[in-house]
Amino acid sequence: MRKLFLLSLIMLISLISLPNNQASQINNSFLLSNEYLEVEISKETGFIESLKQKGIDKSLFSSHRFIISGIEFKNEIIELSENSISFLSTTDDYTIMTKYYLEHNEVVIMTKITNKTNTNKKIQINEIIDYSDTYPFFRSPKIFENYAFLLQQDYGSLGYFNLNSSSFQRLISNDAFTTSISFFNINPNEAIELNRTVTVDRSVSEIEKKYFDKFNIPYNTIEKDIILNTEKSSQGIRVILEDELNKILSVQIVDDKGKAKFYIPLEKNYQNYKMKVDHGNLKTEPIDILTSKDIFIEVPENYFYYKPFLTVKKEDGITVNFRTFVPARSKISVYSLKENSIIMEVQNNLPLEYHNIEISTLNSNTTYYYVVNVEDTYTINKLESEKKTFSTKPLDKDIKSFQFVVYGDTQIYDERHTFVVEKILENEELKPIFIIKPGDHTEEGTSENSWHNFFESTYPLSSQIPYYLALGNHERNSLLYYRAFALPKGGGDYSKRWYSFDYGNAHFIILDSNILESSSLYKKQMEWLENDLKDNQDKKFTFVIFHHPFWTTATEYGSMEENSPQGHFNTKNWLPLFKKYNVDVVINGHIHAYERHFRDGIMFITTGGGGAKLNTSHEANPLPWHVKHVLGKLHYILFEVFEDSIKVTVKAVGEIDNPLFPNEYTEINEIIDEFYIYKK
């Protein structure tokens, strides 16, 4: 039976010839590509890991897998042909063959399941498309009352539906993933096939049209001209169709003729449907689709709503983050420091609002200039940033020592935040390779204007030195935080709620201390933390950064659990792991003062003097492991990491004259703490 199945598999592969398709191996994956798509499929699991439109380095979803009757399976045999990728897996009861191939802008997935037993089997197939790392504008579990899945991203859309019929038996969709559910009866030693497609296009409206055409569903075409007062082309602008209750029904992207088209089944009563533009800060009021002819847009002047901000320093590059007030195409020009000539241009060809542009393929341990250019896609004005520098990371083996700076808690006090940033820049002895900020970056993480002010304050520093950030309580786990910053891949929301990175002989772990013990995420973060600590024992030093300290003498708002030996609720779970895996330094914010504790061989440092209103009341009795606290001073901390020691210098730059007037302060230049941490 097994030999016959393998023979039929090979014959099936050889019969299908799809011009322009290519299948190849890359690292631990296979790549299936044509002129429209690039599909990366895991060698280990046999499932899709990424799906990208050609020329766009963004996957439309995070991952894909399917489960048969609750059994997740792995592959035993892999067959790779010129035009397709096929996987063979076995369980005690089933043989499963899955084949992937491309047809223009569609990924066709064919799964054949054979019942190896002598009994009738009723099976349930759950196929899961995970998009938890992405930011969908729109998703829907149905097309024309049929179970199918639509997803609209900033950089394209996908439709997932059954090729055997016009509908799955059931489909469940939420903010993180969608699951199709199908049931089959398989007789002994017989097989069933499930064929489905993932179709990629610029908009869900175009995918709906393909669906209607495929299943012979008649429809009307509604077309509107999208006209800008700037007389620029409106191509690429997002238009939505909504019903009388303002529920989004479909999404279209304006074509090269300046038109937006929607395709509505004839059976639909659409006389009350409306259309409007909803693309970042390009917005219009809804218009009636039957009585109105065109949509006119008043385009505002463009500017950097979030100024350029560096993150994720690598050996071959860095990531530049910014947000434009009006969506636009952008380009980053990278210059040689010596010749002052352009050596690379990284182009974003989509009119985006949020730009997280990764620069790569550069030399390690090298400084470059860069300039951000934003074209006048819809506006009458272009944008160009100041010419700034960034440096790539040296090879870890070549890093003998390095510096980094930490400052915390800035919140709404933007003028004082700017002051602290300026003092860091003015210190010519500082050569930080990155900045760590342990939370409470803004007063209200759901406020776009609050974030705008944050980026204004950090710009003199963050445009040249990359930041690594932790979530504070004031960020409120807002989507605005996740959209603004590209950060190392880790875990939790968008795979960056917690994360880690290495530099030289040190390992850095960023955690979210806001997650409650009752949350399912708490266990996930704990498991990730232990695995990360376990896997990085080869590093000389381990730093852990999160917002809430275990202990404090602060009584600003009354008695706190952190005043007692048991400490913050994370203490009982995290401290044993820190001890077990030899963590050296824990860095926190939240308390608007400077504090230091030393316990179990670990230095605990709290820094909340980055600009927020400073504490005045620290009346709790110091715990036996309390070392020091200093109130009323704006400050930052310099860490200098050497081969077997860390030098820590706490620099105060401002002193509050009167707690009743927190914006009034005196500039000072004072070292308020200095010490070494040694390790054999």
Side-chain angles (χ1 to χ4, degrees):
M1 178 72 183
R2 184 182 180 89
K3 291 181 179 179
L4 286 173
F5 187 83
L6 285 173
L7 181 60
S8 65
L9 169 63
I10 295 167
M11 289 176 65
L12 178 60
I13 292 171
S14 64
L15 286 172
I16 296 176
S17 178
L18 299 173
N20 302 321
N21 285 6
Q22 294 182 350
S24 57
Q25 297 188 42
I26 51 168
N27 301 322
N28 295 317
S29 301
F30 292 110
L31 184 67
L32 192 60
S33 64
N34 63 11
E35 59 185 311
Y36 303 102
L37 302 175
E38 289 186 354
V39 183
E40 194 171 336
I41 302 173
S42 168
K43 288 182 183 179
E44 180 182 358
T45 66
F47 300 133
I48 300 174
E49 292 185 321
S50 73
L51 171 62
K52 300 176 182 177
Q53 294 189 74
K54 211 61 174 286
I56 299 176
D57 192 28
K58 296 278 190 181
S59 178
L60 287 162
F61 56 73
S62 309
S63 64
H64 149 267
R65 70 184 189 278
F66 58 87
I67 302 168
I68 298 176
S69 296
I71 302 170
E72 295 199 50
F73 48 87
K74 292 190 176 181
N75 304 291
E76 295 181 359
I77 299 171
I78 299 173
E79 293 286 344
L80 177 68
S81 80
E82 181 181 354
N83 300 310
S84 64
I85 302 173
S86 299
F87 296 87
L88 183 65
S89 305
T90 61
T91 69
D92 292 339
D93 296 335
Y94 307 109
T95 300
I96 305 111
M97 190 278 283
T98 297
K99 177 188 179 82
Y100 301 91
Y101 65 89
L102 306 183
E103 286 187 343
H104 304 294
N105 61 339
E106 296 182 340
V107 186
V108 180
I109 309 172
M110 303 170 58
T111 301
K112 183 176 182 179
I113 305 168
T114 302
N115 179 2
K116 300 192 304 185
T117 73
N118 294 319
T119 60
N120 183 69
K121 292 287 186 180
K122 183 175 181 178
I123 65 169
Q124 176 179 325
I125 300 176
N126 292 1
E127 187 156 30
I128 301 164
I129 294 178
D130 183 332
Y131 41 90
S132 58
D133 292 352
T134 69
Y135 308 100
F137 176 79
F138 168 76
R139 56 179 175 77
S140 174
K142 287 186 177 182
I143 301 178
F144 184 45
E145 306 305 326
N146 294 332
Y147 284 119
F149 180 65
L150 295 169
L151 187 72
Q152 182 73 53
Q153 304 278 15
D154 287 340
Y155 40 89
S157 67
L158 67 83
Y160 160 69
F161 48 87
N162 190 357
L163 289 175
N164 298 66
S165 69
S166 62
S167 182
F168 290 105
Q169 290 169 289
R170 194 178 175 198
L171 193 143
I172 300 172
S173 175
N174 62 27
D175 291 337
F177 57 85
T178 187
T179 304
S180 67
I181 304 170
S182 303
F183 300 94
F184 296 94
N185 285 304
I186 314 180
N187 294 324
N189 300 307
E190 291 187 0
I192 57 99
E193 285 191 9
L194 177 64
N195 301 319
R196 54 267 190 230
T197 181
V198 180
T199 303
V200 175
D201 214 306
R202 60 189 179 134
S203 71
V204 297
S205 184
E206 294 304 316
I207 291 173
E208 287 172 324
K209 181 180 184 299
K210 287 183 171 64
Y211 179 89
F212 298 150
D213 290 339
K214 187 180 291 286
F215 294 106
N216 299 312
I217 299 172
Y219 56 86
N220 282 319
T221 301
I222 305 296
E223 179 181 297
K224 302 292 180 187
D225 289 315
I226 312 301
I227 301 171
L228 310 184
N229 70 317
T230 57
E231 300 183 353
K232 295 291 185 75
S233 169
S234 59
Q235 182 180 4
I237 287 177
R238 187 170 57 224
V239 183
I240 65 173
L241 179 72
E242 60 183 24
D243 64 15
E244 61 273 17
L245 299 176
N246 303 121
K247 177 185 176 183
I248 298 177
L249 302 174
S250 188
V251 182
Q252 178 61 282
I253 305 299
V254 178
D255 65 18
D256 57 358
K257 295 180 176 60
K259 296 183 182 296
K261 298 178 183 178
F262 289 96
Y263 312 97
I264 305 174
L266 293 180
E267 295 182 20
K268 286 286 187 182
N269 179 10
Y270 56 89
Q271 62 180 359
N272 294 321
Y273 286 4
K274 297 182 182 298
M275 291 170 60
K276 68 180 182 182
V277 169
D278 189 346
H279 192 67
N281 284 303
L282 295 177
K283 298 181 185 292
T284 64
E285 292 297 318
I287 66 164
D288 188 278
I289 65 170
L290 295 180
T291 60
S292 302
K293 182 180 178 183
D294 306 317
I295 298 180
F296 292 90
I297 309 175
E298 294 286 335
V299 181
E301 185 174 349
N302 210 359
Y303 62 93
F304 286 110
Y305 194 34
Y306 296 171
K307 285 191 171 180
F309 186 100
L310 300 181
T311 56
V312 193
K313 186 186 188 86
K314 294 184 177 180
E315 292 166 357
D316 69 341
I318 207 158
T319 299
V320 183
N321 310 266
F322 58 97
R323 182 182 177 187
T324 53
F325 187 71
V326 178
R329 291 181 282 268
S330 62
K331 177 178 65 180
I332 297 180
S333 301
V334 180
Y335 295 76
S336 164
L337 195 65
K338 292 182 180 179
E339 291 82 16
N340 196 24
S341 57
I342 294 178
I343 60 171
M344 175 189 294
E345 290 186 331
V346 184
Q347 185 81 34
N348 164 35
N349 294 314
L350 296 173
L352 298 177
E353 178 184 11
Y354 290 90
H355 305 249
N356 308 105
I357 300 177
E358 183 179 352
I359 302 171
S360 60
T361 70
L362 298 174
N363 296 325
S364 64
N365 196 26
T366 306
T367 301
Y368 298 91
Y369 290 121
Y370 77 98
V371 174
V372 177
N373 290 282
V374 178
E375 72 166 40
D376 51 342
T377 309
Y378 305 121
T379 61
I380 58 173
N381 68 306
K382 299 180 181 179
L383 300 176
E384 182 175 288
S385 72
E386 300 173 275
K387 184 180 280 189
K388 295 286 187 175
T389 62
F390 69 84
S391 297
T392 54
K393 178 184 172 184
L395 301 176
D396 279 335
K397 64 181 180 63
D398 296 332
I399 300 173
K400 306 305 179 187
S401 64
F402 64 93
Q403 298 181 356
F404 67 94
V405 164
V406 177
Y407 70 95
D409 291 72
T410 44
Q411 294 182 357
I412 203 171
Y413 296 89
D414 303 303
E415 185 268 339
R416 300 200 311 183
H417 182 190
T418 301
F419 170 73
V420 173
V421 166
E422 289 173 348
K423 292 295 122 184
I424 294 171
L425 278 169
E426 287 175 8
N427 189 339
E428 295 182 357
E429 296 179 2
L430 291 183
K431 305 294 179 186
I433 43 79
F434 55 80
I435 310 295
I436 288 178
K437 203 162 178 303
D440 280 6
H441 317 298
T442 70
E443 178 71 15
E444 178 49 69
T446 60
S447 164
E448 293 180 324
N449 189 60
S450 184
W451 281 112
H452 166 76
N453 294 336
F454 167 83
F455 286 102
E456 289 283 334
S457 295
T458 64
Y459 176 69
L461 189 58
S462 61
S463 59
Q464 302 177 83
I465 309 294
Y467 274 55
Y468 292 91
L469 304 101
L471 280 161
N473 52 293
H474 278 271
E475 277 67 68
R476 307 191 194 286
N477 200 41
S478 169
L479 179 63
L480 295 177
Y481 169 85
Y482 292 109
R483 295 220 67 172
F485 306 108
L487 295 168
K489 189 175 179 66
D493 296 351
Y494 307 100
S495 292
K496 53 186 175 182
R497 191 164 182 174
W498 55 82
Y499 60 92
S500 66
F501 64 96
D502 293 331
Y503 202 95
N505 62 350
H507 183 63
F508 295 83
I509 299 173
I510 312 288
L511 300 175
D512 182 6
S513 58
N514 297 279
I515 302 172
L516 299 178
E517 286 181 279
S518 56
S519 166
S520 60
L521 276 177
Y522 194 88
K523 183 179 179 181
K524 290 181 180 178
Q525 183 173 224
M526 278 279 293
E527 290 173 349
W528 178 92
L529 170 61
E530 179 155 24
N531 288 332
D532 190 79
L533 286 167
K534 188 186 305 180
D535 293 342
N536 290 281
Q537 289 296 288
D538 59 323
K539 292 297 182 180
K540 185 74 172 181
F541 297 107
T542 300
F543 294 82
V544 183
I545 300 96
F546 50 93
H547 187 57
H548 299 86
F550 286 171
W551 308 286
T552 181
T553 57
T555 51
E556 199 75 11
Y557 304 103
S559 179
M560 304 168 62
E561 61 181 355
E562 291 91 335
N563 300 147
S564 64
Q566 63 266 27
H568 188 269
F569 68 80
N570 284 312
T571 310
K572 65 179 179 294
N573 295 313
W574 291 2
L575 182 57
L577 291 178
F578 296 169
K579 292 164 59 178
K580 180 178 179 180
Y581 293 103
N582 303 307
V583 167
D584 301 282
V585 182
V586 172
I587 301 170
N588 307 116
H590 193 60
I591 302 301
H592 299 172
Y594 170 73
E595 287 193 289
R596 178 155 65 98
H597 294 82
F598 183 72
R599 175 175 165 176
D600 299 314
I602 305 169
M603 194 67 73
F604 296 87
I605 301 168
T606 298
T607 171
K613 184 179 178 181
L614 298 175
N615 287 174
T616 59
S617 177
H618 276 233
E619 304 300 329
N621 292 326
L623 297 165
W625 46 92
H626 173 271
V627 178
K628 188 170 188 175
H629 67 261
V630 178
L631 305 184
K633 296 188 178 182
L634 301 171
H635 66 273
Y636 64 85
I637 304 178
L638 171 64
F639 289 82
E640 298 174 86
V641 182
F642 303 99
E643 183 179 353
D644 57 2
S645 65
I646 303 167
K647 182 182 179 183
V648 184
T649 304
V650 185
K651 188 71 172 291
V653 295
E655 187 167 25
I656 301 303
D657 302 316
N658 186 333
L660 297 177
F661 301 97
N663 280 320
E664 297 179 8
Y665 55 88
T666 301
E667 183 177 332
I668 61 174
N669 183 7
E670 179 185 344
I671 294 175
I672 57 175
D673 199 7
E674 191 169 49
F675 56 92
Y676 281 85
I677 299 169
Y678 293 97
K679 193 168 187 178
K680 294 182 180 179

